[in-house]
């Protein structure tokens, strides 16, 4: 019995001609060159579904004008990539589906999907673009959400400083593993952030006088142990010298605020997704949502794994 050859890993990027999608295309081209993999550029038309009395549902076919506009968008994107990173092999796809569905169907577990913060869809969510939220919550592979600067370029394209938040959960363990791999691409610095919030008001002076240990001291020790164990586990799964520098940040703060503060001079933030159910985005996880909403640098979202219920 013959087996089908394994599909080559790719960087998959969604474009629509907007400044936000151009920023995503820029980041995707740089990443494809870094990884030495093909760049798959997807332009989704979002054609409506029609149902006839005698057949099943089918997508309404685009007009010649619409097809021509799609070809023009893809050709312009290919030209941009060729100028930016000539070594990258470019593949072009025009999809009839809506952008989220098109990107999900074109991607595989070993790929990476890149989208802009807005654009690519008719409706914007209350946090970030509807495409980036839905794709980040449902993708089979990591998703990079790239913000654009005032000139329409990606705010960052390097991987010299990678920030990741950990809390001891399975999603954060997998996010840490991804962050280590991302930092290793450029042999850069990995900044591991663990934060906590005191669960109830207390008087530290009175409690110490009564013989209780300071809660700050307790949380600090727990944090130190948690981060050390996570790092040991993740590094043990990747034998050999990865050539990365590790910095640990432990702080009493809201997790979103702690990550954004640590990422002030970073190139990318890595977070885990806890999305589940049919209300995509709203159930993606408050930390992931908060970081996506406020981050000024690209955010890499590690998708939810099957065993993370």
């Amino acid at each position: 019995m013959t087996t089908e050859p394994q599909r080559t890993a790719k960087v998959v990027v969604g474009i629509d001609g907007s400044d936000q999608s151009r920023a995503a295309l820029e980041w995707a081209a740089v990443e494809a060159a870094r990884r030495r993999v093909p760049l798959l550029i997807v332009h989704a038309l979002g054609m409506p579904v029609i149902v006839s009395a005698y057949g099943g549902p089918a997508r309404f076919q685009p007009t010649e004008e619409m097809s021509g506009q799609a070809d023009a968008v893809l050709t312009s994107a290919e030209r941009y990539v060729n100028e930016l990173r000539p070594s990258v092999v470019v593949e072009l796809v025009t999809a009839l589906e809506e952008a989220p569905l098109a990107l999900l169907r074109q991607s595989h577990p070993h790929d990476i999907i890149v989208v802009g913060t807005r654009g690519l869809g008719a409706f914007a969510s209350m946090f970030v673009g509807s495409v980036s939220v839905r794709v980040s919550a449902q993708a089979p592979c990591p998703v990079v959400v790239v913000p654009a600067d005032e000139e329409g370029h990606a705010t960052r394209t390097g991987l010299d400083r990678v920030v990741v938040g950990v809390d001891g959960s399975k999603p954060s363990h997998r996010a840490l593993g991804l962050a280590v791999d991302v930092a290793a691409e450029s042999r850069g610095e990995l900044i591991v952030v663990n934060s906590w919030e005191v669960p109830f008001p207390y008087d530290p002076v009175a409690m110490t006088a009564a013989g209780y240990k300071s809660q700050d001291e307790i949380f600090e020790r727990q944090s130190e142990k948690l981060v050390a164990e996570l790092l040991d586990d993740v590094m043990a799964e990747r034998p050999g010298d990865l050539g990365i520098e590790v910095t640990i940040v432990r702080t009493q703060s809201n997790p979103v605020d702690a990550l954004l503060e640590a990422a002030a001079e970073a190139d990318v933030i890595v977070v885990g997704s806890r999305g589940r159910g049919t209300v995509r985005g709203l159930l993606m996880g408050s930390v992931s949502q908060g970081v996506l909403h406020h981050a000024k640098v690209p955010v890499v979202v590690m998708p939810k794994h099957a065993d993370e219920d």
Side-chain angles (χ1 to χ4, degrees), residues 113-175:
I113 300 175
V114 185
V115 295
T117 51
R118 294 188 185 274
L120 288 173
F123 302 97
S125 78
M126 61 186 295
F127 297 104
V128 291
S130 58
V131 172
S132 53
V133 170
R134 180 175 170 186
V135 173
S136 297
Q138 293 183 276
C141 59
V143 177
V144 186
V145 181
V146 182
D149 62 18
E150 294 180 355
E151 297 180 353
H153 294 289
T155 54
R156 298 281 199 282
T157 57
L159 296 177
D160 294 326
R161 300 190 74 187
V162 179
V163 172
V164 60
V166 298
D167 60 7
S169 65
K170 288 182 179 179
S172 78
H173 183 280
R174 296 178 65 241

Side-chain angles (χ1 to χ4, degrees), residues 5-292:
Q6 186 174 4
R7 174 184 176 278
T8 302
K10 299 177 182 179
V11 175
V12 181
V13 59
I15 66 164
D16 65 354
S18 66
D19 286 346
Q20 288 80 8
S21 74
R22 188 177 74 166
L25 180 63
E26 180 184 0
W27 198 97
V30 173
E31 180 65 5
R34 260 194 301 258
R35 296 188 175 207
R36 298 188 175 125
V37 300
L39 174 63
L40 177 60
I41 305 176
V42 180
H43 178 56
L45 295 178
M47 302 303 296
V49 176
I50 56 176
V51 181
S52 69
Y54 305 101
R59 291 279 175 182
F60 192 84
Q61 293 300 305
T63 63
E64 290 186 8
E65 181 181 1
M66 296 172 67
S67 296
Q69 291 174 346
D71 290 342
V73 170
L74 288 171
T75 300
S76 176
E78 183 178 25
R79 187 183 307 117
Y80 181 68
V81 173
N82 289 338
E83 293 173 355
L84 189 65
R85 290 292 187 273
S87 64
V88 173
V89 175
V90 176
E91 301 174 10
L92 307 175
V93 169
T94 299
L96 298 182
E97 305 96 331
E98 299 80 10
L101 182 58
L103 289 169
L104 293 171
R105 284 186 172 175
Q106 291 292 335
S107 60
H108 291 69
H110 296 293
D111 295 339
I112 183 169
I113 300 175
V114 185
V115 295
T117 51
R118 294 188 185 274
L120 288 173
F123 302 97
S125 78
M126 61 186 295
F127 297 104
V128 291
S130 58
V131 172
S132 53
V133 170
R134 180 175 170 186
V135 173
S136 297
Q138 293 183 276
C141 59
V143 177
V144 186
V145 181
V146 182
D149 62 18
E150 294 180 355
E151 297 180 353
H153 294 289
T155 54
R156 298 281 199 282
T157 57
L159 296 177
D160 294 326
R161 300 190 74 187
V162 179
V163 172
V164 60
V166 298
D167 60 7
S169 65
K170 288 182 179 179
S172 78
H173 183 280
R174 296 178 65 241
L176 177 59
L178 175 61
V180 168
D181 294 337
V182 169
E185 286 188 43
S186 297
R187 301 179 75 85
E189 179 185 8
L190 174 67
I191 303 171
V192 183
V193 180
N194 177 241
S195 64
W196 62 88
E197 295 179 281
V198 177
F200 54 86
Y202 76 104
D203 183 343
V205 176
M207 291 188 67
T208 302
Y212 294 99
K213 289 186 177 180
S214 165
Q215 287 213 17
D216 290 339
E217 180 182 346
I218 294 173
F219 280 117
E220 177 73 22
R221 289 182 178 178
Q222 290 177 340
S223 174
E224 183 177 2
K225 179 181 178 182
L226 181 150
V227 174
E229 290 178 350
L230 276 176
L231 277 171
D232 287 345
D233 289 345
V234 169
M235 292 301 185
E237 297 167 357
R238 294 158 177 79
D241 181 15
L242 299 178
I244 63 175
E245 175 186 350
V246 179
T247 300
I248 299 173
V249 175
R250 293 189 296 271
T251 178
Q252 180 177 318
S253 176
N254 174 277
V256 174
D257 294 338
L259 282 169
L260 294 175
E261 182 178 351
E265 300 298 328
D267 294 305
V268 71
I269 305 173
V270 179
V271 295
S273 171
R274 302 190 189 192
R276 62 182 69 127
T278 57
V279 187
R280 280 87 180 186
L282 294 180
L283 297 180
M284 198 175 108
S286 59
V287 174
S288 301
Q289 284 277 17
V291 172
L292 281 174

